[in-house]
Amino acid sequence: TGRVEPSSSSHIIVFTMVNLEHTYFLTSVILGLYIPIASPCGTNYGKGPPCKIPFKLSGQIYFSCTTKRTSPEEGVVAKCPTNVDEETLEASKKDSDWGVCHTDCPMRQYKDNSVLRSDLSNLSSSFPDLATTFSIGQSVLGQNLLGVRLTAGAGKERGLLKPMVRLIANMHGNEVTGREMLTHLATVLVKGMGRDQRITKIMETT
């Protein structure tokens, strides 16, 4: 609810998650093949080997860089592994197999409206059983306000009494952090399906 403030960056992201049927599985994961979450991003100012994302660290799955592999001397530095187990996704514990994330890694820079729309559209077209996009209208400056519905069986009719959660970000044009978080969350939920037990449960029951 509310009026969208006139700003060239006005863009609302709406996520509606509904539960349907437990029918979608990632064949590539079942076969044990490692598939990166996006185009490989670089390490060490783009001069080092590419990051391996997603990855697991002590069993917890990550879809972006982490600060948990930095030393007190380094301070708060975002790092990613360059070597992971292709079957379990567990990252190497060797310091030499970790690098400082470059700006092309997930959540390392802000995206404009065209990139955000492209990312959500590509997510929907690549995983139509898990994500479908829709529009809730336009901002006062004519920007398309795009949303995405996330669930196992996203293209089918929602069953009665199934839980639904709606998350809205970037109500005003100068509140850009929220939309970055939710667009990344969409990628995490869709590409984490079948890879992480908690994410799979969320997608299958909500």
Side-chain angles (χ1 to χ4, degrees):
T1 60
R3 179 177 179 272
V4 179
E5 295 294 332
S7 167
S8 60
S9 62
S10 294
H11 192 91
I12 294 178
I13 307 297
V14 179
F15 296 97
T16 302
M17 298 180 59
V18 296
N19 174 39
L20 291 171
E21 300 176 4
H22 303 180
T23 57
Y24 188 86
F25 297 92
L26 293 178
T27 304
S28 58
V29 175
I30 295 174
L31 295 177
L33 300 177
Y34 179 82
I35 299 179
I37 192 172
S39 300
C41 61
T43 59
N44 304 331
Y45 305 99
K47 304 298 183 180
C51 293
K52 290 294 184 71
I53 299 175
F55 62 91
K56 289 185 177 181
L57 190 60
S58 299
Q60 181 176 342
I61 195 166
Y62 291 80
F63 288 82
S64 60
C65 304
T66 179
T67 59
K68 292 187 176 181
R69 288 288 302 183
T70 57
S71 64
E73 292 77 17
E74 292 174 310
V76 181
V77 178
K79 289 187 173 183
C80 64
T82 58
N83 183 23
V84 303
D85 186 295
E86 295 189 358
E87 183 174 350
T88 66
L89 300 183
E90 191 67 29
S92 170
K93 298 296 193 299
K94 297 180 180 179
D95 290 339
S96 59
D97 287 333
W98 286 76
V100 177
C101 291
H102 193 41
T103 54
D104 57 351
C105 290
M107 302 295 289
R108 295 291 290 161
Q109 59 180 336
Y110 290 109
K111 301 175 182 178
D112 61 27
N113 287 342
S114 62
V115 175
L116 289 171
R117 285 192 290 267
S118 177
D119 285 352
L120 291 180
S121 296
N122 290 338
L123 192 67
S124 177
S125 61
S126 299
F127 301 90
D129 291 333
L130 297 178
T132 57
T133 57
F134 58 91
S135 175
I136 63 172
Q138 293 184 329
S139 71
V140 293
L141 293 182
Q143 293 284 345
N144 188 33
L145 305 179
L146 191 64
V148 60
R149 183 174 292 108
L150 305 174
T151 186
K156 300 178 181 179
E157 183 179 357
R158 181 175 69 92
L160 293 176
L161 303 179
K162 295 298 182 180
M164 179 185 294
V165 177
R166 179 168 295 166
L167 304 176
I168 303 177
N170 205 182
M171 181 62 71
H172 305 98
N174 60 348
E175 298 166 355
V176 296
T177 304
R179 72 182 191 181
E180 296 291 342
M181 296 296 293
L182 285 193
T183 51
H184 184 67
L185 175 62
T187 301
V188 170
L189 291 174
V190 170
K191 295 193 175 183
M193 174 71 172
R195 295 180 171 184
D196 181 81
Q197 184 177 1
R198 183 183 181 190
I199 292 174
T200 301
K201 183 178 180 180
I202 290 173
M203 291 293 285
E204 289 183 340
T205 61
T206 312

